[in-house]
Amino acid sequence: KQEVTQIPAALSVPEGENLVLNCSFTDSAIYNLQWFRQDPGKGLTSLLLIQSSQREQTSGRLNASLDKSSGRSTLYIAASQPGDSATYLCVATGGGNKLTFGTGTQLKVEL
Amino acid sequence: DTAVSQTPKYLVTQMGNDKSIKCEQNLGHDTMYWYKQDSKKFLKIMFSYNNKELIINETVPNRFSPKSPDKAHLNLHINSLELGDSAVYFCASSQDVRGGASYNEQFFGPGTRLTVL
């Protein structure tokens, strides 16, 4: 059974700082690894999707890496802004297109 | 144009009632899903349907019954609502249920916040 864990659970940083969110998963037999963002009381926004054959994906100030063999993924956010404040979810896709969500990292970027 | 839509956005009801949440996708996808996000913000899959057939059925009480009249719709009907059913329910869809480069990205609806009093 796939389990996805995210560290830290919560993070508060000053504006402009670079930061790394960590994700680990127990079953390396995944099709892809996604990072989502969820704003309070709102839906899910897909940020990056890394296929199992890929090592990383980049979008703007975001960079996500994937190491299947070690069961790890990281989300790097450069030059953080207050608008980046949200909960970030790491999600592993397994057989049957089943998504297993991580526990989430609640990020607060302060002025 | 909303890709995956859910109605209602908010639903407040009494214990013991029966309610439905509707989901529609206009992406032409074959597979649809229901997820539950509990009070601790943990998201977990409940069901998935591929072309109107049940694919995934996690350990969900049989008070929850998904209904798929066609592949663009997957409605969630809940009987005899309980306090513990209070959560945010998300619908999602993907082009196909198979793994692979372009088939399995899931697109989520905005969520329905269900409150059972």
Side-chain angles (χ1 to χ4, degrees):
Chain A
K1 180 185 174 185
Q2 178 73 276
E3 291 183 5
V4 181
T5 305
Q6 292 182 243
I7 296 174
L11 182 62
S12 183
V13 300
E15 182 180 11
E17 192 162 299
N18 301 326
L19 57 101
V20 176
L21 307 182
N22 295 294
C23 170
S24 61
F25 47 95
T26 56
D27 186 352
S28 61
I30 61 172
Y31 288 111
N32 62 49
L33 191 291
Q34 294 186 70
W35 284 91
F36 283 85
R37 167 183 174 147
Q38 185 173 27
D39 294 277
K42 296 191 177 178
L44 301 166
T45 302
S46 179
L47 299 173
L48 291 165
L49 184 152
I50 313 173
Q51 297 294 351
S52 61
S53 58
Q54 297 174 326
R55 301 272 310 177
E56 67 175 351
Q57 281 286 338
T58 298
S59 175
R61 295 182 294 108
L62 306 179
N63 175 278
S65 68
L66 173 63
D67 184 344
K68 271 184 58 177
S69 60
S70 66
R72 296 182 188 278
S73 176
T74 61
L75 178 66
Y76 176 83
I77 303 177
S80 58
Q81 302 170 358
D84 295 331
S85 298
T87 296
Y88 290 81
L89 297 167
C90 172
V91 187
T93 303
N97 213 24
K98 178 181 172 181
L99 299 189
T100 302
F101 282 79
T103 45
T105 293
Q106 191 170 350
L107 172 66
K108 184 175 182 181
V109 180
E110 298 173 320
L111 289 168
Chain B
D1 288 341
T2 304
V4 182
S5 59
Q6 295 178 228
T7 53
K9 189 172 181 181
Y10 299 96
L11 182 55
V12 181
T13 189
Q14 299 287 333
M15 261 176 40
N17 284 349
D18 302 339
K19 290 293 179 184
S20 291
I21 306 172
K22 295 185 177 181
C23 178
E24 177 181 2
Q25 54 93 6
N26 62 8
L27 298 167
H29 288 167
D30 284 340
T31 309
M32 297 183 71
Y33 312 78
W34 276 107
Y35 293 85
K36 178 180 180 180
Q37 186 173 39
D38 60 24
S39 57
K40 295 181 180 178
K41 308 299 182 186
F42 187 62
L43 263 154
K44 190 172 181 182
I45 191 168
M46 300 173 68
F47 303 101
S48 75
Y49 268 72
N50 178 252
N51 214 3
K52 295 170 51 180
E53 288 189 33
L54 182 65
I55 302 298
I56 293 175
N57 183 352
E58 294 292 288
T59 310
V60 177
N62 57 15
R63 297 182 295 103
F64 290 77
S65 54
K67 298 190 190 308
S68 183
D70 54 63
K71 71 176 190 178
H73 297 83
L74 182 63
N75 303 324
L76 183 65
H77 188 74
I78 314 171
N79 289 325
S80 303
L81 278 156
E82 299 177 356
L83 294 176
D85 298 333
S86 296
V88 180
Y89 293 84
F90 286 96
C91 176
S93 74
S94 68
Q95 183 174 348
D96 200 335
V97 73
R98 293 174 292 171
S102 60
Y103 293 132
N104 57 10
E105 183 171 0
Q106 294 185 26
F107 297 82
F108 283 80
T112 295
R113 182 174 294 275
L114 170 64
T115 302
V116 182
L117 303 174

